Amino acid sequence: MTTDNFRPDTGAQVQDAIAWAVSAETPLELISRGSKRDVGRPVQVAHTLDLSALSGVGLYEPEELICQAGPGTPVAEIESMLAESRQMLAFEPMDLGPLLGGEAGQGSIGGVFAANLAGPRRIKAGAARDHLLGFTAVTGRGETVKSGGRVVKNVTGYDLSKIVCGSWGTLAALTDLTFKVLPAPEVETTLVIHGLDDDAAVRLMSAALGSPHEVSSAAHLPIGIGAGDIAGPATCIRLEGFGPSVAARAEALEGELAGFGGTMGAVDGYLSRDLWRAVRDVEPLTAPLDRPVWRLSVPPMAGPSVVLAIRSAVEGVEYYYDWAGGLIWLAVPAEPDAHASIVRGAVAGTASGHATLVRADEAVRAAVPVFQPQATGLAALNARIKNSFDPLGVLNPGRMTAGG
């Protein structure tokens, strides 16, 4: 049970706090603004290191497409600032707040990179880690480290950004972040194809991505989506850019996809943006909050067979596909194990799939591996990385793996 909350104002104070934890061999729970606190295994510690006071944009150079901010800076604040210069975080970070029973707009930029969160545009723009140019952090040894810099082409030393992104605060406490931003598209339009089953939809999305028309997002919504009042099944293909280009590409793509069947329409402007924001934030599966929600990463063409295997064994499953079928969001009825053996058994039949339990009660997250169990070799490699950064295990102990 957490009893004490440390809230440092500077990177030096973060270092002092972690150095104390190392000397006292006392573990810390690392949080920024806490919007993703319920992802991962429960962390049983006596002290919390709250980084929310390390907030604010220290540098923004629109002409150079770079931004620097403290880890506690709200993502909403950064996105609002970028919008004034018609720029964006191209990887489209998702907001897990409502899915986890919290409020929207509470996430921090530090949490985004620590969790490596990216939305529907990832298939074109890449993951969050691909946009992190540099950072300053304090490791679990109580040492301040710096990596990268303020330029896109930075090849000095090891690419530590790829290691800390997705580590969920188990390796180091981020105290400063520098990341690239990109121009926002002038217009966007989404082709919506109604009436396709899962197999046909995945084939259509694959064809769209293989076309020369620069598709930025592709999702299939068997149950539809509230944003835009789109009834399912609906397959959505997003195109972005300059107005004439988007119009020409959309027209050409419509012709190329006509052979897949279904009824085709389109939504533009704010309707398209609302649709993809809902896909990004898992809005179709948010309610009811007592259902466990899984995030499955699979080879796109294997997605329908994975879902079929789960649905054949579990009644009441709801799901949809993002990333052209490579990402499956799936809600299952509440059970003590969140149907983990069935879900992971289905994923195990793919070449490189993995499953993460994103939402579940604390008791379930304590009993079930939340993150995909790793093969022996990979687990050993990760253990060596953990030992290099945090040999005493003082940072978020056990959040990703039991005893880790």
Side-chain angles (χ1 to χ4, degrees), residues 173-198:
L174 296 167
T175 59
D176 188 74
L177 298 147
T178 302
F179 45 94
K180 63 182 177 181
V181 300
L182 289 176
E186 181 181 273
V187 299
E188 71 172 76
T189 189
T190 297
L191 301 181
V192 182
I193 302 93
H194 292 278
L196 300 184
D197 62 24
D198 290 8

Side-chain angles (χ1 to χ4, degrees), residues 305-316:
S305 62
V306 169
V307 170
L308 179 61
I310 297 171
R311 294 181 70 200
S312 298
V314 181
E315 293 184 1

Side-chain angles (χ1 to χ4, degrees), residues 13-292:
Q13 292 177 4
V14 174
Q15 183 174 10
D16 289 343
I18 295 179
W20 169 82
V22 172
S23 65
E25 297 188 14
T26 298
L28 299 171
E29 180 187 19
L30 235 61
I31 65 170
S32 187
R33 296 175 63 84
S35 67
K36 293 170 282 296
R37 201 173 193 173
D38 290 336
V39 179
R41 301 183 69 257
V43 179
Q44 299 296 323
V45 297
H47 305 283
T48 294
L49 183 59
D50 180 349
L51 304 176
S52 60
L54 277 67
S55 180
V57 174
L59 172 76
Y60 175 42
E61 297 183 357
E63 300 82 4
E64 299 297 328
L65 301 176
I66 63 169
C67 183
Q68 174 270 323
T73 311
V75 175
E77 178 182 316
I78 293 174
E79 290 180 327
S80 177
M81 178 192 69
L82 296 178
E84 293 179 1
S85 297
R86 297 193 59 81
Q87 294 183 342
M88 64 177 181
L89 297 170
F91 59 93
E92 207 169 15
M94 65 184 306
D95 184 352
L96 286 175
L99 181 70
L100 299 175
E103 297 180 11
Q106 300 302 304
S108 69
I109 194 66
V112 162
F113 284 109
N116 194 34
L117 295 180
R121 201 184 286 111
R122 182 183 176 177
I123 58 176
K124 181 180 180 181
R129 62 172 175 261
D130 300 313
H131 296 253
L132 185 59
L133 300 176
F135 67 87
T136 303
V138 181
T139 71
R141 295 177 179 270
E143 301 170 342
T144 296
V145 298
K146 295 182 179 181
S147 177
R150 293 181 176 179
V151 295
V152 174
K153 293 183 179 179
N154 191 304
V155 294
T156 303
Y158 296 104
D159 192 355
L160 296 183
S161 297
K162 299 296 192 294
I163 296 177
V164 299
C165 287
S167 65
W168 290 88
T170 61
L171 299 180
L174 296 167
T175 59
D176 188 74
L177 298 147
T178 302
F179 45 94
K180 63 182 177 181
V181 300
L182 289 176
E186 181 181 273
V187 299
E188 71 172 76
T189 189
T190 297
L191 301 181
V192 182
I193 302 93
H194 292 278
L196 300 184
D197 62 24
D198 290 8
D199 288 295
V202 170
R203 291 196 302 271
L204 180 146
M205 291 189 290
S206 178
L209 259 65
S211 76
H213 305 306
E214 298 182 46
V215 168
S216 63
S217 307
H220 178 60
L221 308 163
I223 56 177
I225 197 164
D229 196 25
I230 294 176
T235 310
C236 304
I237 308 295
R238 178 164 63 173
L239 300 166
E240 299 175 298
F242 295 108
S245 170
V246 170
R249 284 152 48 208
E251 182 179 1
L253 188 57
E254 282 187 41
E256 294 181 20
L257 300 180
F260 287 89
T263 303
M264 189 173 297
V267 293
D268 304 292
Y270 76 91
L271 291 175
S272 177
R273 289 191 293 273
D274 288 349
L275 186 159
W276 290 105
R277 188 179 299 110
V279 171
R280 180 196 74 180
D281 297 342
V282 204
E283 182 183 284
L285 305 182
T286 295
L289 289 171
D290 63 344
R291 293 187 304 175

